Amino acid sequence: MYQIDISPNKRLCNISPSLYGIFFEDINRSGDGGLYAEMLMNRSFDDGVIPQGCTYNADSKTITSPTGWVSSFNCSETEGIYGWVASDGAQMSLTDKDTLNFARKRALNVRFNGGKIVNLGFGGIAVRAGSTCKFYMFAKSETSVQITIALTSESGEVYAHQTLTVEGGYTKYECLLESTADDNKAVLSLSSQFADTVTIGFTSLFPTDTFMKRENGLRRDLAEKLIALKPAFLRFPGGCIVEGFSKETAHRFEDTIGKVWERKPHWLLWGYNTTNGLGYHEFLQFCEDARIDAMYVFNCGMTCQARCPDYFDDKLIENMYNDAVHAILYASAPANTEWGAKRAENGHPETFVCLKYLEIGNENYGEEYNKRYKYFYERLKAEFPQYTYIATDHTEKIGLPTETVDDHFYSDPLFFASNNDMYDSLDRNGVNIYVGEYAATIGCKKGNLYGALGEAAFLTGIERNQYKVKMTSYAPLFNNPAYTAWEPDLIIFNNHTSYGIPSYYMLKMFAENRGSFVCGHTVITEYDKRCEHGAFSYISGGKKVTVGSIDENRQSLSADVDIVGGRLTVSFWDTCAEGEDQNHYDIVCEGGKSTVIHYNGWSKEIICEGNCELGGNSAHIEIDADGDEFEIKINGVLTHKAALKSVPHISAVCTVDETAGELIIKIVNITENDITVNLASDIPLASNALLTTLTATNMQSCNSFDSPEAVVPVTNEVRLEDGKINIGARSVNVIRTELR
Ligand code: AHR
């Protein structure tokens, strides 16, 4: 039976105006060449500089951080100059001598000899007939050298050109280039008949038609896609890039303001460099232009705990603390103060009143975090009480003053659907929740309908509890598929176009249909069991032993398992193959406790807890698992008997829009069947309604560059026959009906 009992006059809680926000992190090359409208790859020539403190291995093309974290490094200077190519006799080389300024580690020496150097852009430079780009470069030359700056096709057909004469010390040279043709694979070419050396310190090519026509601004189509989501806030600049994998790769506000060519570059732990042109000022400017609140995330004195962490000493923590204070002052202090004056110098004398939230760290946890959180929170709150502070762990559980906690989830759609009730029993007097990062990842890498269904089901639960779960933001936001580091992502773009994945449209539907308050409602639905299957493994004789057939039948394991360092671990229902997301259930016994944990993607869910005393070097373990149920005995004693949470066929939430006088019902059907839902309201409902539906022919349906609108919402007028409505298979729905 499927029914929603609705009491439109019963006010459960007001809506949270800040519920739907966006989170930008420079990942998948979403900064330079993405949201930040710069068109030149490696415009500062710094991309191949090995991050300070790291060592480079040319065979594996990797760098290793001082604490031992290994990551890829694909732009080594030994293999060329990333993004730039010389031809027709031109010669170019990098130099670390006499660079443009203290921030620049490299400059480019060029001898043209009648040839040219070209910049390839990010998969080409996209030009349009009649549209204009602004080029500038800092260059120097002992003699007078005329250089032709041109936008051309790959084969050299010229679409626009200007000539600049370089002479003397470093000077900024600039010109406008208006293209005569459309070409998505154009290049920027610098050519000259002269043979004398020119040194180029920094370059830039920007469309003049940026969002709000801001200089050094954002790519208009991408910024507009963000605004169409009606976000209440922007969280920035990360994510893991705030943490870094070393002291040197940790984010610092002070490197991201001022003249762009004087900003230090930042090696992002997603495998590339940013010139920091999209910096703190630009983020605040976007928030102001878009009339949304800003949430600044800063490093709190430690690096990413998933990447061989480095815990900074007191001196460096103080340094990071000061960096956070300076960022706050930059936004909030009057123009006649040190940091307010810097803001004014950068073109914004008024304060940035959009700054509202401050997040202390990103995804940090445990004792080391708690110490730092306390240190930052207590001092910042005393000095800047006007902001809302966000912790990245449940610091309230250890008695620390905590306002809002940022929870993150990356899992499969069924995790989200079955955890629709996750926040149903929050303490009304407890902390506020911000679900700062979430996405259905497993089985949804290209951003399919299935992911959107799981997330939407989860969001109905969040909407129901928005008296405490006040904010959310999907993650990550952008992906240029030529540089993928993380999937799925909400908006897929290349150098000239973009599309939203189904989750984008689901979020748009939810954000456009908020209402004024959550009204009384009870959802009656049928459920599917979450039936698991997969391998068992455990440690014996110091080795991982994998046993058990991978099928859906009853599976039993009986084994002697090693206790390593007082801890015993057994995995069951493990479906994870090499290179895939993890999905397994672990029994972890230590310190007299035994816990069954579900590791699903990057999320971790405690299934059940029990007591268990371990002695000696091994324990005898018996697991009996069947479908969604399991029973565990350790040394002959029953420690766990549990069933997994089942998956509701429909999930729903009801709000009332007082201004429009309408009831809004969001219903998600995650099954493969059409379902008739009975809307049983305790006041009469109108007999017709507007139904907006996001659906497709199968769960895997995606949008793409070729079919950017294959999965988009469609709105129809429908009749509510005796309150009954057909909710199609695999669909996210918003029903709006007049309240009589
Ligand atoms: O959104 C991608 C990454 O996921 C973020 O950088 C990090 O916070 C999380 O682990």
Side-chain angles (χ1 to χ4, degrees), residues 4 420 457 460-461 464 521 523 650-654 665-668:
I4 308 177
N420 161 284
T460 60
R464 190 165 55 240
H521 62 279
V523 182
I650 62 162
S651 312
V653 64
C654 301
I665 310 167
K666 299 185 178 93
I667 308 182
V668 182

Side-chain angles (χ1 to χ4, degrees), residues 125-131 153 157 159 179-186:
I125 292 170
V127 295
R128 293 288 170 271
S131 70
S153 69
E157 186 190 340
Y159 304 137
S179 176
T180 51
D182 292 352
D183 188 350
N184 295 326
K185 292 271 175 213

